[in-house]
Amino acid sequence: MPPMIQAKNLWKTYGENVVLEGLNVTVEEGEFITMVGTSGCGKSTFLNMLLGTQSCSKGELLLDGQPIPAEPGPDRGIVFQQYSVFPHMTVLENVMAAKAFARKGLTGYLFGSARREAKEEATAILNQVGLSHALNKYPHELSGGMKQRLAIAQALLGKPRILLLDEPFGALDPGIRADMHELVLNLWREHKLTVFMVTHDLKEGFYLGTRLWVFDKLRQDPQAPGAYGASITYDLAVGQMGKKIYEEIDDNLRPVVEVV
Ligand SMILES: Nc1ncnc2c1ncn2[C@@H]1O[C@H](COP(=O)(O)OP(=O)(O)O)[C@@H](O)[C@H]1O
Ligand SMILES: [Mg+2]
């Protein structure tokens, strides 16, 4: 069996700007990867390559031993920091719409039994993310945490094997963030997901991940900032140790690679 995800000498460049260089890494099903690194070092780009909305410039990125399809699929769900919901639809309608789009593309409407099924499925997922009391609310009536719960419900709709989280809790208050951590850990276990999560919060990275990646540039040219790309400079198995480190890390600590 090939690893679930494998990057082989993966490079990403935009014109002259080298973003990622020579990534070699494998990820097995069920891992929870957390990713930290300076702003602009290519973390979102890497997630987008896993999603299929960006392709690599050189090398390979494989899913089950095959190149990742060049478009998003139901096996990969993503949650961004910005809320990606329709303002004019209720919570339930938002999730049902996501289901319709997944089935039929942007013009899709569901009728009859397909609609009933979508409603049942949407209701069940919203229950799992703790929004069963808010089915008929509109996005502007939701708190930041509730909006992210909605975004997670949408990401889970296609029953993904891989969940991609791009700083999903960066805008939330610490107390709310703690609730979201328990939610994500529960969903990871229950749905047997493989998770890739970018975070600015090293503590969050240690707490949630089974494995923590630090993205950084090994080489820098001050005259030409785009001349060299980042790679994964630390790949730490954290697991239970992460939970212990979490308890000992100061709340205000930032990743050492972060330029504040
Ligand atoms: N679509 C794009 N076209 C050109 N440059 C891009 C594009 N997307 C990202 N970049 C550049 O790639 C680099 C990495 O960006 P990004 O992956 O968003 O970093 P991070 O998520 O680590 O902050 C940045 O220099 C950014 O300007
Ligand atoms: Mg980013």
Side-chain angles (χ1 to χ4, degrees):
M1 282 272 282
M4 186 185 210
I5 294 291
Q6 182 166 25
K8 286 184 177 174
N9 190 30
L10 178 154
W11 288 68
K12 181 66 184 178
T13 53
Y14 291 109
E16 299 284 286
N17 185 15
V18 182
V19 177
L20 295 170
E21 61 175 54
L23 261 62
N24 285 294
V25 77
T26 61
V27 174
E28 299 297 338
E29 186 135 35
E31 292 198 75
F32 194 131
I33 312 282
T34 47
M35 299 154 56
V36 299
T38 325
S39 182
C41 73
K43 305 178 299 297
S44 295
T45 299
F46 187 70
L47 283 194
N48 285 325
M49 285 194 269
L50 289 169
L51 184 64
T53 52
Q54 300 272 3
S55 55
C56 43
S57 309
K58 211 165 78 180
E60 288 184 296
L61 186 58
L62 306 175
L63 167 62
D64 300 326
Q66 302 295 322
I68 293 208
E71 55 182 47
D75 55 341
R76 286 153 289 146
I78 190 159
V79 178
F80 301 100
Q81 180 171 357
Q82 322 85 296
Y83 313 121
S84 47
V85 295
F86 299 110
H88 61 289
M89 290 185 188
T90 66
V91 165
L92 181 61
E93 286 164 353
N94 259 287
V95 177
M96 288 178 66
K99 179 82 196 171
F101 294 157
R103 278 228 198 146
K104 298 194 151 186
L106 276 172
T107 55
Y109 287 95
L110 297 174
F111 298 102
S113 64
R115 187 178 163 79
R116 267 194 305 280
E117 249 171 57
K119 190 170 178 179
E120 271 170 30
E121 202 179 319
T123 309
I125 286 175
L126 285 163
N127 189 28
Q128 281 182 42
V129 300
L131 284 181
S132 50
H133 61 293
L135 299 184
N136 298 316
K137 285 195 190 303
Y138 286 87
H140 75 267
E141 301 176 279
L142 305 179
S143 66
M146 288 166 85
K147 281 182 193 157
Q148 286 310 64
R149 286 173 189 268
L150 173 54
I152 291 170
Q154 288 178 321
L156 290 176
L157 254 189
K159 302 201 189 333
R161 298 161 67 204
I162 299 176
L163 183 62
L164 306 168
L165 303 169
D166 199 350
E167 303 189 34
F169 311 138
L172 304 179
D173 294 336
I176 304 293
R177 218 181 297 167
D179 292 343
M180 300 302 285
H181 290 164
E182 296 322 305
L183 173 66
V184 164
L185 287 174
N186 285 335
L187 293 170
W188 170 59
R189 287 188 201 107
E190 274 171 33
H191 294 262
K192 301 192 170 21
L193 298 166
T194 306
V195 179
F196 292 84
M197 175 175 176
V198 176
T199 176
H200 260 85
D201 182 349
L202 185 59
K203 185 168 166 169
E204 183 172 82
F206 272 114
Y207 180 63
L208 292 176
T210 56
R211 193 168 163 192
L212 175 82
W213 289 351
V214 177
F215 282 70
D216 200 5
K217 291 187 182 189
L218 285 173
R219 303 178 290 175
Q220 298 264 13
D221 180 348
Q223 308 303 321
Y228 300 107
S231 54
I232 297 168
T233 54
Y234 289 91
D235 181 349
L236 306 172
V238 280
Q240 283 310 306
M241 184 185 76
K243 308 288 175 282
K244 184 163 161 37
I245 293 171
Y246 171 78
E247 281 156 20
E248 290 169 6
I249 287 184
D250 188 285
D251 266 334
N252 298 314
L253 190 69
R254 283 284 171 269
V256 281
V257 291
E258 196 68 32
V259 179
V260 182

mmCIF file with all atom_site columns, all heavy atoms in Angstrom, residues 51-68:
data_model
loop_
_atom_site.group_PDB
_atom_site.id
_atom_site.type_symbol
_atom_site.label_atom_id
_atom_site.label_alt_id
_atom_site.label_comp_id
_atom_site.label_asym_id
_atom_site.label_entity_id
_atom_site.label_seq_id
_atom_site.pdbx_PDB_ins_code
_atom_site.Cartn_x
_atom_site.Cartn_y
_atom_site.Cartn_z
_atom_site.occupancy
_atom_site.B_iso_or_equiv
_atom_site.pdbx_formal_charge
_atom_site.auth_seq_id
_atom_site.auth_comp_id
_atom_site.auth_asym_id
_atom_site.auth_atom_id
_atom_site.pdbx_PDB_model_num
ATOM 1   N N   . LEU A 1 51 ? -5.766  20.203 -1.948  1.00 0.00 ? 51 LEU A N   1
ATOM 2   C CA  . LEU A 1 51 ? -7.166  20.349 -2.365  1.00 0.00 ? 51 LEU A CA  1
ATOM 3   C C   . LEU A 1 51 ? -7.320  20.114 -3.872  1.00 0.00 ? 51 LEU A C   1
ATOM 4   O O   . LEU A 1 51 ? -8.339  19.613 -4.328  1.00 0.00 ? 51 LEU A O   1
ATOM 5   C CB  . LEU A 1 51 ? -7.662  21.749 -1.996  1.00 0.00 ? 51 LEU A CB  1
ATOM 6   C CG  . LEU A 1 51 ? -9.131  22.071 -2.256  1.00 0.00 ? 51 LEU A CG  1
ATOM 7   C CD1 . LEU A 1 51 ? -10.033 21.191 -1.388  1.00 0.00 ? 51 LEU A CD1 1
ATOM 8   C CD2 . LEU A 1 51 ? -9.422  23.543 -1.980  1.00 0.00 ? 51 LEU A CD2 1
ATOM 9   N N   . GLY A 1 52 ? -6.297  20.494 -4.634  1.00 0.00 ? 52 GLY A N   1
ATOM 10  C CA  . GLY A 1 52 ? -6.350  20.328 -6.087  1.00 0.00 ? 52 GLY A CA  1
ATOM 11  C C   . GLY A 1 52 ? -6.584  21.627 -6.837  1.00 0.00 ? 52 GLY A C   1
ATOM 12  O O   . GLY A 1 52 ? -6.776  21.623 -8.050  1.00 0.00 ? 52 GLY A O   1
ATOM 13  N N   . THR A 1 53 ? -6.598  22.768 -6.123  1.00 0.00 ? 53 THR A N   1
ATOM 14  C CA  . THR A 1 53 ? -6.802  24.047 -6.803  1.00 0.00 ? 53 THR A CA  1
ATOM 15  C C   . THR A 1 53 ? -5.483  24.675 -7.244  1.00 0.00 ? 53 THR A C   1
ATOM 16  O O   . THR A 1 53 ? -5.485  25.669 -7.949  1.00 0.00 ? 53 THR A O   1
ATOM 17  C CB  . THR A 1 53 ? -7.563  25.041 -5.900  1.00 0.00 ? 53 THR A CB  1
ATOM 18  O OG1 . THR A 1 53 ? -6.897  25.109 -4.638  1.00 0.00 ? 53 THR A OG1 1
ATOM 19  C CG2 . THR A 1 53 ? -8.982  24.585 -5.677  1.00 0.00 ? 53 THR A CG2 1
ATOM 20  N N   . GLN A 1 54 ? -4.361  24.116 -6.792  1.00 0.00 ? 54 GLN A N   1
ATOM 21  C CA  . GLN A 1 54 ? -3.034  24.540 -7.277  1.00 0.00 ? 54 GLN A CA  1
ATOM 22  C C   . GLN A 1 54 ? -2.283  23.275 -7.662  1.00 0.00 ? 54 GLN A C   1
ATOM 23  O O   . GLN A 1 54 ? -2.530  22.224 -7.068  1.00 0.00 ? 54 GLN A O   1
ATOM 24  C CB  . GLN A 1 54 ? -2.240  25.227 -6.158  1.00 0.00 ? 54 GLN A CB  1
ATOM 25  C CG  . GLN A 1 54 ? -2.882  26.467 -5.584  1.00 0.00 ? 54 GLN A CG  1
ATOM 26  C CD  . GLN A 1 54 ? -2.512  27.717 -6.344  1.00 0.00 ? 54 GLN A CD  1
ATOM 27  O OE1 . GLN A 1 54 ? -1.810  27.649 -7.346  1.00 0.00 ? 54 GLN A OE1 1
ATOM 28  N NE2 . GLN A 1 54 ? -2.992  28.860 -5.884  1.00 0.00 ? 54 GLN A NE2 1
ATOM 29  N N   . SER A 1 55 ? -1.382  23.409 -8.611  1.00 0.00 ? 55 SER A N   1
ATOM 30  C CA  . SER A 1 55 ? -0.589  22.231 -8.966  1.00 0.00 ? 55 SER A CA  1
ATOM 31  C C   . SER A 1 55 ? 0.873   22.505 -8.657  1.00 0.00 ? 55 SER A C   1
ATOM 32  O O   . SER A 1 55 ? 1.277   23.659 -8.517  1.00 0.00 ? 55 SER A O   1
ATOM 33  C CB  . SER A 1 55 ? -0.753  21.930 -10.455 1.00 0.00 ? 55 SER A CB  1
ATOM 34  O OG  . SER A 1 55 ? -0.406  23.081 -11.194 1.00 0.00 ? 55 SER A OG  1
ATOM 35  N N   . CYS A 1 56 ? 1.677   21.450 -8.548  1.00 0.00 ? 56 CYS A N   1
ATOM 36  C CA  . CYS A 1 56 ? 3.090   21.692 -8.257  1.00 0.00 ? 56 CYS A CA  1
ATOM 37  C C   . CYS A 1 56 ? 3.830   22.034 -9.541  1.00 0.00 ? 56 CYS A C   1
ATOM 38  O O   . CYS A 1 56 ? 3.426   21.662 -10.641 1.00 0.00 ? 56 CYS A O   1
ATOM 39  C CB  . CYS A 1 56 ? 3.724   20.525 -7.499  1.00 0.00 ? 56 CYS A CB  1
ATOM 40  S SG  . CYS A 1 56 ? 3.319   18.892 -8.074  1.00 0.00 ? 56 CYS A SG  1
ATOM 41  N N   . SER A 1 57 ? 4.917   22.794 -9.381  1.00 0.00 ? 57 SER A N   1
ATOM 42  C CA  . SER A 1 57 ? 5.692   23.226 -10.550 1.00 0.00 ? 57 SER A CA  1
ATOM 43  C C   . SER A 1 57 ? 6.679   22.154 -10.966 1.00 0.00 ? 57 SER A C   1
ATOM 44  O O   . SER A 1 57 ? 7.060   22.057 -12.129 1.00 0.00 ? 57 SER A O   1
ATOM 45  C CB  . SER A 1 57 ? 6.443   24.516 -10.220 1.00 0.00 ? 57 SER A CB  1
ATOM 46  O OG  . SER A 1 57 ? 5.563   25.461 -9.668  1.00 0.00 ? 57 SER A OG  1
ATOM 47  N N   . LYS A 1 58 ? 7.127   21.368 -9.987  1.00 0.00 ? 58 LYS A N   1
ATOM 48  C CA  . LYS A 1 58 ? 8.104   20.316 -10.250 1.00 0.00 ? 58 LYS A CA  1
ATOM 49  C C   . LYS A 1 58 ? 7.911   19.247 -9.191  1.00 0.00 ? 58 LYS A C   1
ATOM 50  O O   . LYS A 1 58 ? 7.444   19.542 -8.091  1.00 0.00 ? 58 LYS A O   1
ATOM 51  C CB  . LYS A 1 58 ? 9.521   20.897 -10.147 1.00 0.00 ? 58 LYS A CB  1
ATOM 52  C CG  . LYS A 1 58 ? 10.547  20.245 -11.058 1.00 0.00 ? 58 LYS A CG  1
ATOM 53  C CD  . LYS A 1 58 ? 11.812  21.085 -11.164 1.00 0.00 ? 58 LYS A CD  1
ATOM 54  C CE  . LYS A 1 58 ? 12.703  20.936 -9.939  1.00 0.00 ? 58 LYS A CE  1
ATOM 55  N NZ  . LYS A 1 58 ? 13.939  21.741 -10.040 1.00 0.00 ? 58 LYS A NZ  1
ATOM 56  N N   . GLY A 1 59 ? 8.239   18.023 -9.497  1.00 0.00 ? 59 GLY A N   1
ATOM 57  C CA  . GLY A 1 59 ? 8.056   16.949 -8.528  1.00 0.00 ? 59 GLY A CA  1
ATOM 58  C C   . GLY A 1 59 ? 6.628   16.439 -8.541  1.00 0.00 ? 59 GLY A C   1
ATOM 59  O O   . GLY A 1 59 ? 5.866   16.717 -9.478  1.00 0.00 ? 59 GLY A O   1
ATOM 60  N N   . GLU A 1 60 ? 6.269   15.733 -7.467  1.00 0.00 ? 60 GLU A N   1
ATOM 61  C CA  . GLU A 1 60 ? 4.958   15.090 -7.454  1.00 0.00 ? 60 GLU A CA  1
ATOM 62  C C   . GLU A 1 60 ? 4.290   15.228 -6.087  1.00 0.00 ? 60 GLU A C   1
ATOM 63  O O   . GLU A 1 60 ? 4.960   15.252 -5.058  1.00 0.00 ? 60 GLU A O   1
ATOM 64  C CB  . GLU A 1 60 ? 5.115   13.588 -7.713  1.00 0.00 ? 60 GLU A CB  1
ATOM 65  C CG  . GLU A 1 60 ? 5.474   13.237 -9.138  1.00 0.00 ? 60 GLU A CG  1
ATOM 66  C CD  . GLU A 1 60 ? 5.522   11.729 -9.323  1.00 0.00 ? 60 GLU A CD  1
ATOM 67  O OE1 . GLU A 1 60 ? 6.372   11.075 -8.689  1.00 0.00 ? 60 GLU A OE1 1
ATOM 68  O OE2 . GLU A 1 60 ? 4.683   11.217 -10.084 1.00 0.00 ? 60 GLU A OE2 1
ATOM 69  N N   . LEU A 1 61 ? 2.957   15.287 -6.131  1.00 0.00 ? 61 LEU A N   1
ATOM 70  C CA  . LEU A 1 61 ? 2.168   15.179 -4.909  1.00 0.00 ? 61 LEU A CA  1
ATOM 71  C C   . LEU A 1 61 ? 1.128   14.093 -5.154  1.00 0.00 ? 61 LEU A C   1
ATOM 72  O O   . LEU A 1 61 ? 0.266   14.229 -6.034  1.00 0.00 ? 61 LEU A O   1
ATOM 73  C CB  . LEU A 1 61 ? 1.501   16.521 -4.582  1.00 0.00 ? 61 LEU A CB  1
ATOM 74  C CG  . LEU A 1 61 ? 0.761   16.568 -3.243  1.00 0.00 ? 61 LEU A CG  1
ATOM 75  C CD1 . LEU A 1 61 ? 1.691   16.249 -2.071  1.00 0.00 ? 61 LEU A CD1 1
ATOM 76  C CD2 . LEU A 1 61 ? 0.108   17.927 -3.027  1.00 0.00 ? 61 LEU A CD2 1
ATOM 77  N N   . LEU A 1 62 ? 1.256   13.004 -4.398  1.00 0.00 ? 62 LEU A N   1
ATOM 78  C CA  . LEU A 1 62 ? 0.443   11.816 -4.669  1.00 0.00 ? 62 LEU A CA  1
ATOM 79  C C   . LEU A 1 62 ? -0.560  11.549 -3.557  1.00 0.00 ? 62 LEU A C   1
ATOM 80  O O   . LEU A 1 62 ? -0.263  11.752 -2.375  1.00 0.00 ? 62 LEU A O   1
ATOM 81  C CB  . LEU A 1 62 ? 1.351   10.592 -4.822  1.00 0.00 ? 62 LEU A CB  1
ATOM 82  C CG  . LEU A 1 62 ? 2.486   10.701 -5.848  1.00 0.00 ? 62 LEU A CG  1
ATOM 83  C CD1 . LEU A 1 62 ? 3.373   9.460  -5.796  1.00 0.00 ? 62 LEU A CD1 1
ATOM 84  C CD2 . LEU A 1 62 ? 1.922   10.918 -7.245  1.00 0.00 ? 62 LEU A CD2 1
ATOM 85  N N   . LEU A 1 63 ? -1.735  11.100 -3.963  1.00 0.00 ? 63 LEU A N   1
ATOM 86  C CA  . LEU A 1 63 ? -2.773  10.632 -3.039  1.00 0.00 ? 63 LEU A CA  1
ATOM 87  C C   . LEU A 1 63 ? -3.015  9.166  -3.367  1.00 0.00 ? 63 LEU A C   1
ATOM 88  O O   . LEU A 1 63 ? -3.354  8.845  -4.510  1.00 0.00 ? 63 LEU A O   1
ATOM 89  C CB  . LEU A 1 63 ? -4.041  11.465 -3.239  1.00 0.00 ? 63 LEU A CB  1
ATOM 90  C CG  . LEU A 1 63 ? -5.346  10.977 -2.607  1.00 0.00 ? 63 LEU A CG  1
ATOM 91  C CD1 . LEU A 1 63 ? -5.232  10.933 -1.088  1.00 0.00 ? 63 LEU A CD1 1
ATOM 92  C CD2 . LEU A 1 63 ? -6.514  11.884 -3.010  1.00 0.00 ? 63 LEU A CD2 1
ATOM 93  N N   . ASP A 1 64 ? -2.788  8.290  -2.410  1.00 0.00 ? 64 ASP A N   1
ATOM 94  C CA  . ASP A 1 64 ? -2.877  6.844  -2.653  1.00 0.00 ? 64 ASP A CA  1
ATOM 95  C C   . ASP A 1 64 ? -2.008  6.431  -3.848  1.00 0.00 ? 64 ASP A C   1
ATOM 96  O O   . ASP A 1 64 ? -2.412  5.579  -4.649  1.00 0.00 ? 64 ASP A O   1
ATOM 97  C CB  . ASP A 1 64 ? -4.326  6.410  -2.916  1.00 0.00 ? 64 ASP A CB  1
ATOM 98  C CG  . ASP A 1 64 ? -5.250  6.731  -1.748  1.00 0.00 ? 64 ASP A CG  1
ATOM 99  O OD1 . ASP A 1 64 ? -4.786  6.667  -0.594  1.00 0.00 ? 64 ASP A OD1 1
ATOM 100 O OD2 . ASP A 1 64 ? -6.418  7.063  -1.991  1.00 0.00 ? 64 ASP A OD2 1
ATOM 101 N N   . GLY A 1 65 ? -0.876  7.072  -3.999  1.00 0.00 ? 65 GLY A N   1
ATOM 102 C CA  . GLY A 1 65 ? 0.055   6.698  -5.056  1.00 0.00 ? 65 GLY A CA  1
ATOM 103 C C   . GLY A 1 65 ? -0.249  7.314  -6.424  1.00 0.00 ? 65 GLY A C   1
ATOM 104 O O   . GLY A 1 65 ? 0.496   7.103  -7.373  1.00 0.00 ? 65 GLY A O   1
ATOM 105 N N   . GLN A 1 66 ? -1.342  8.094  -6.519  1.00 0.00 ? 66 GLN A N   1
ATOM 106 C CA  . GLN A 1 66 ? -1.722  8.718  -7.790  1.00 0.00 ? 66 GLN A CA  1
ATOM 107 C C   . GLN A 1 66 ? -1.627  10.242 -7.668  1.00 0.00 ? 66 GLN A C   1
ATOM 108 O O   . GLN A 1 66 ? -1.916  10.776 -6.592  1.00 0.00 ? 66 GLN A O   1
ATOM 109 C CB  . GLN A 1 66 ? -3.174  8.376  -8.147  1.00 0.00 ? 66 GLN A CB  1
ATOM 110 C CG  . GLN A 1 66 ? -3.472  6.900  -8.264  1.00 0.00 ? 66 GLN A CG  1
ATOM 111 C CD  . GLN A 1 66 ? -2.716  6.271  -9.424  1.00 0.00 ? 66 GLN A CD  1
ATOM 112 O OE1 . GLN A 1 66 ? -2.571  6.881  -10.481 1.00 0.00 ? 66 GLN A OE1 1
ATOM 113 N NE2 . GLN A 1 66 ? -2.194  5.065  -9.202  1.00 0.00 ? 66 GLN A NE2 1
ATOM 114 N N   . PRO A 1 67 ? -1.292  10.946 -8.768  1.00 0.00 ? 67 PRO A N   1
ATOM 115 C CA  . PRO A 1 67 ? -1.276  12.415 -8.705  1.00 0.00 ? 67 PRO A CA  1
ATOM 116 C C   . PRO A 1 67 ? -2.631  12.953 -8.229  1.00 0.00 ? 67 PRO A C   1
ATOM 117 O O   . PRO A 1 67 ? -3.669  12.428 -8.632  1.00 0.00 ? 67 PRO A O   1
ATOM 118 C CB  . PRO A 1 67 ? -1.023  12.834 -10.163 1.00 0.00 ? 67 PRO A CB  1
ATOM 119 C CG  . PRO A 1 67 ? -0.361  11.656 -10.782 1.00 0.00 ? 67 PRO A CG  1
ATOM 120 C CD  . PRO A 1 67 ? -0.902  10.437 -10.089 1.00 0.00 ? 67 PRO A CD  1
ATOM 121 N N   . ILE A 1 68 ? -2.602  13.955 -7.372  1.00 0.00 ? 68 ILE A N   1
ATOM 122 C CA  . ILE A 1 68 ? -3.854  14.533 -6.861  1.00 0.00 ? 68 ILE A CA  1
ATOM 123 C C   . ILE A 1 68 ? -4.646  15.122 -8.021  1.00 0.00 ? 68 ILE A C   1
ATOM 124 O O   . ILE A 1 68 ? -4.086  15.854 -8.840  1.00 0.00 ? 68 ILE A O   1
ATOM 125 C CB  . ILE A 1 68 ? -3.537  15.597 -5.795  1.00 0.00 ? 68 ILE A CB  1
ATOM 126 C CG1 . ILE A 1 68 ? -2.923  14.883 -4.589  1.00 0.00 ? 68 ILE A CG1 1
ATOM 127 C CG2 . ILE A 1 68 ? -4.772  16.410 -5.427  1.00 0.00 ? 68 ILE A CG2 1
ATOM 128 C CD1 . ILE A 1 68 ? -3.135  15.534 -3.265  1.00 0.00 ? 68 ILE A CD1 1
#
